[in-house]
Amino acid sequence: MKQDATRNAAYTVDCEDYVHVVEFNPFESGDSGNLIAYGGSNYVVIGMCTFQEEEADIEGIQYKTLRTFHHGVRVDGIAWSPETKLDSLPPVIKFCTSAADMKIRLFTSDLQDKNEYKVLEGHSDFINDLVFHPKEGHEIASVSDDHTCRIWSLEGKQTAHFLLHSPGMSVCWHPEETFKLMVAEKNGMIRFYDLMAQQAILSLQSEQTPLMSAHWCLKNTFKVGAVAGNDWIIWDITRSSYPQETRPVHMDRAHLFRWSAISENLFATTGYPGKMASQFQIHHLGHSQPILTGSVAVGSGLSWHRTLPLCAVGGDHKLLFWVTEI
């Protein structure tokens, strides 16, 4: 693996607004291209992108906008439903958003005449993360600054409600054992809940605070990663509730942590959106230094491609994509 210096994004796509959040669809959608969603001040765009790493006859990136949804308020988070299918008739696009008005919106579209959304209300403060049930997609979990984690049915009813000790920053569903949910709190506590018993079954502790983002490694669910303070932190839950490895990465405080979808040793972190630029780094557990460092004008959002070592970050009127080698 070659060591990369700071470098520019491999590909960019121009957008009509500042991008607050970006998410690749993590599920198989029945099409060779990759669905991507990004949100701005008052809209969500669903697009399709294909990269030269996947298709030999493409130069760089091929991108097409499929649908723009008017949102009316700033988009803070986006989660894809596993029910999204492009090879069904009609196609189904299903995702939910969290917004600056503290509400969740559930969108369903057939990319033609049917474009519906439902509002889920109940949080009393900003929603920091949300995720669909990874198998059936029949529930949504969300965490908020109001010190709660809530589970919602698609009809908008709350089916479970966990009180937290501090703002909830991240929520992840176990990909196989779907009765397990991970919730990370700003005070550095990460808890795993059994949704059938509706109680916590395990907890991890970060010595640094504030914990801003945590992620369950889908390639190896014994691994959990987070960023807190200026550091990234990795746990192996089979070994200890205390971190296995910690490393300072972002001088201006770390903001987001995401594991790669294809390797349990590859992950990315971002620094806080600064006045000029925020730092983006890709790390490999076998290397003491980041294997790639990028800079984004007021970057926000972070998402990995489902099958490539490729990351998307939102920027000022741009989507930026970085590719690394593993």
Side-chain angles (χ1 to χ4, degrees):
M1 189 189 320
K2 74 172 191 292
Q3 198 82 8
D4 290 305
T6 297
R7 58 186 174 94
N8 294 330
Y11 314 115
T12 59
V13 168
D14 289 333
C15 308
E16 49 283 10
D17 190 5
Y18 174 77
V19 178
H20 290 285
V21 59
V22 55
E23 289 294 338
F24 276 114
N25 179 12
F27 304 108
E28 172 66 66
S29 67
D31 192 283
S32 61
N34 309 277
L35 284 167
I36 192 166
Y38 66 90
S41 300
N42 54 19
Y43 65 87
V44 179
V45 176
I46 302 295
M48 172 75 79
C49 46
T50 313
F51 299 91
Q52 65 184 24
E53 284 79 3
E54 309 168 275
E55 304 263 343
D57 54 351
I58 286 173
E59 184 109 351
I61 179 176
Q62 192 175 65
Y63 173 82
K64 180 175 93 179
T65 292
L66 299 180
R67 177 60 56 126
T68 300
F69 296 88
H70 187 67
H71 198 262
V73 61
R74 187 187 75 225
V75 184
D76 289 342
I78 298 174
W80 283 95
S81 165
E83 291 188 279
T84 293
K85 286 281 177 276
L86 291 177
D87 56 355
S88 63
L89 280 172
V92 178
I93 296 280
K94 200 165 196 175
F95 64 94
C96 62
T97 62
S98 58
D101 61 2
M102 307 167 200
K103 294 172 186 170
I104 295 170
R105 287 165 176 79
L106 172 62
F107 288 83
T108 310
S109 170
D110 63 3
L111 296 177
Q112 284 141 17
D113 308 325
K114 180 185 168 186
N115 295 289
E116 302 170 356
Y117 79 88
K118 177 177 272 142
V119 178
L120 282 56
E121 295 185 56
H123 279 300
S124 60
D125 210 333
F126 290 116
I127 299 162
N128 293 314
D129 198 14
L130 73 175
V131 64
F132 272 91
H133 185 288
K135 289 269 202 249
E136 283 97 38
H138 63 306
E139 288 182 314
I140 296 164
S142 59
V143 288
S144 162
D145 281 350
D146 67 10
H147 295 208
T148 66
C149 168
R150 297 167 195 247
I151 314 286
W152 312 76
S153 72
L154 300 191
E155 288 69 51
K157 285 182 62 173
Q158 287 185 39
T159 58
H161 180 156
F162 299 105
L163 286 174
L164 311 177
H165 296 273
S166 66
M169 302 307 289
S170 296
V171 59
C172 301
W173 225 301
H174 192 291
E176 302 300 332
E177 298 167 25
T178 53
F179 61 92
K180 289 181 185 169
L181 194 75
M182 184 194 94
V183 175
E185 297 188 37
K186 200 169 189 173
N187 66 4
M189 184 66 77
I190 299 174
R191 284 190 183 82
F192 297 83
Y193 290 90
D194 178 326
L195 294 178
M196 293 195 288
Q198 298 214 354
Q199 64 184 28
I201 46 177
L202 176 72
S203 64
L204 307 175
Q205 181 68 49
S206 154
E207 277 129 12
Q208 289 84 337
T209 57
L211 185 150
M212 297 308 293
S213 172
H215 198 211
W216 214 338
C217 180
L218 298 186
K219 291 303 275 184
N220 175 356
T221 50
F222 293 133
K223 280 186 178 173
V224 172
V227 285
N230 298 337
D231 301 359
W232 61 249
I233 305 157
I234 308 286
W235 290 264
D236 176 341
I237 62 177
T238 61
R239 295 191 179 178
S240 167
S241 60
Y242 289 96
Q244 199 185 352
E245 206 169 338
T246 302
R247 202 161 293 162
V249 276
H250 297 284
M251 299 298 292
D252 55 348
R253 287 204 312 170
H255 186 45
L256 293 172
F257 182 108
R258 293 288 183 275
W259 289 103
S260 152
I262 58 170
S263 165
E264 63 174 89
N265 294 312
L266 198 64
F267 59 94
T269 59
T270 63
Y272 249 71
K275 290 188 177 64
M276 296 299 290
S278 49
Q279 201 184 40
F280 157 77
Q281 294 183 348
I282 295 181
H283 312 267
H284 189 283
L285 285 176
H287 289 247
S288 59
Q289 297 296 319
I291 58 171
L292 186 152
T293 300
S295 178
V296 195
V298 288
S300 54
L302 174 61
S303 184
W304 283 92
H305 187 284
R306 197 172 61 83
T307 57
L308 292 175
L310 183 149
C311 259
V313 178
D316 185 7
H317 291 75
K318 272 188 173 40
L319 288 176
L320 301 105
F321 300 91
W322 273 269
V323 187
T324 186
E325 298 168 12
I326 57 166

